[in-house]
Amino acid sequence: MAIERTLCIIKPDGVRSGNIGNIIAHIQKEGFKVLSLKMTRLTKQAGGVFYEVHKGRPFYDELVNFMSSGPCVPIALEKENAIAEWRRVIGATDPAEADPGTIRKLYAKNKGENAVHGSDSVENGKREIGFFFTEQELADLA
Ligand code: CDP
Ligand code: MG
């Protein structure tokens, strides 16, 4: 299997609930390499662009409002099979349906405020990582 990159975002609810450290510990326990991370706050406009694939869906406005409601922590991750692996680690979109031990089961409130983001394909992962990080920020510092 190939080495892939995926974008994690610790969403505003995950920051507000004091779980930045717990979620990063989970990332490291699962063997992902952290390429870069930052804390930032999305404007409504930037949140709208990031989630533009969902434009027109009934939850879109609420999602954009939520994602711009406070700081978030985007984290660029790398691992073998990272896209599927990270989605396994975070669990289902709705924490009520997420497997025990997954990040959303542990830390999410509901289907909207669900603690973390994960890219759904290698292509989208590239776009999403590029949305938050420059090439220089992703350069291997080791
Ligand atoms: O994040 P994930 O890929 O699991 O789900 P998605 O279907 O791509 O939806 C993106 C985000 O929109 C979710 O993580 C939720 O925050 C939100 N959402 C929602 O509020 N209500 C839904 N019915 C579906 C998604
Ligand atoms: Mg998605």
Side-chain angles (χ1 to χ4, degrees):
M1 266 179 283
I3 298 282
E4 296 173 352
R5 291 180 175 183
T6 189
L7 181 74
C8 161
I9 307 173
I10 303 177
K11 294 184 177 183
D13 64 310
V15 174
R16 275 194 284 270
S17 61
N19 285 308
I20 295 173
N22 288 329
I23 292 168
I24 291 176
H26 211 109
I27 286 169
Q28 298 200 299
K29 186 185 66 180
E30 293 284 352
F32 289 86
K33 180 177 181 185
V34 175
L35 298 176
S36 196
L37 65 92
K38 63 178 72 171
M39 180 178 268
T40 187
R41 181 168 177 172
L42 290 170
T43 61
K44 272 195 195 182
Q45 197 204 358
V49 171
F50 182 81
Y51 278 114
E52 67 189 356
V53 61
H54 293 305
K55 204 165 182 170
R57 307 276 292 275
F59 57 86
Y60 179 74
D61 288 350
E62 198 182 338
L63 174 60
V64 170
N65 283 333
F66 163 59
M67 289 301 292
S68 58
S69 69
C72 66
V73 180
I75 311 176
L77 298 175
E78 189 172 84
K79 194 179 195 255
E80 199 169 280
N81 202 26
I83 296 290
E85 276 288 284
W86 180 240
R87 296 209 62 104
R88 173 185 65 76
V89 168
I90 69 179
T93 307
D94 185 344
E97 293 164 13
D99 287 339
T102 59
I103 290 175
R104 282 168 166 169
K105 178 59 95 184
L106 288 166
Y107 305 120
K109 282 186 207 144
N110 54 55
K111 195 170 186 176
E113 305 203 3
N114 58 3
V116 283
H117 170 80
S119 307
D120 63 9
S121 69
V122 170
E123 257 352 272
N124 287 337
K126 281 185 188 151
R127 170 192 171 260
E128 292 175 357
I129 288 173
F131 184 91
F132 286 104
F133 298 101
T134 64
E135 279 306 317
Q136 197 175 349
E137 287 171 323
L138 295 167
D140 195 342
L141 304 174

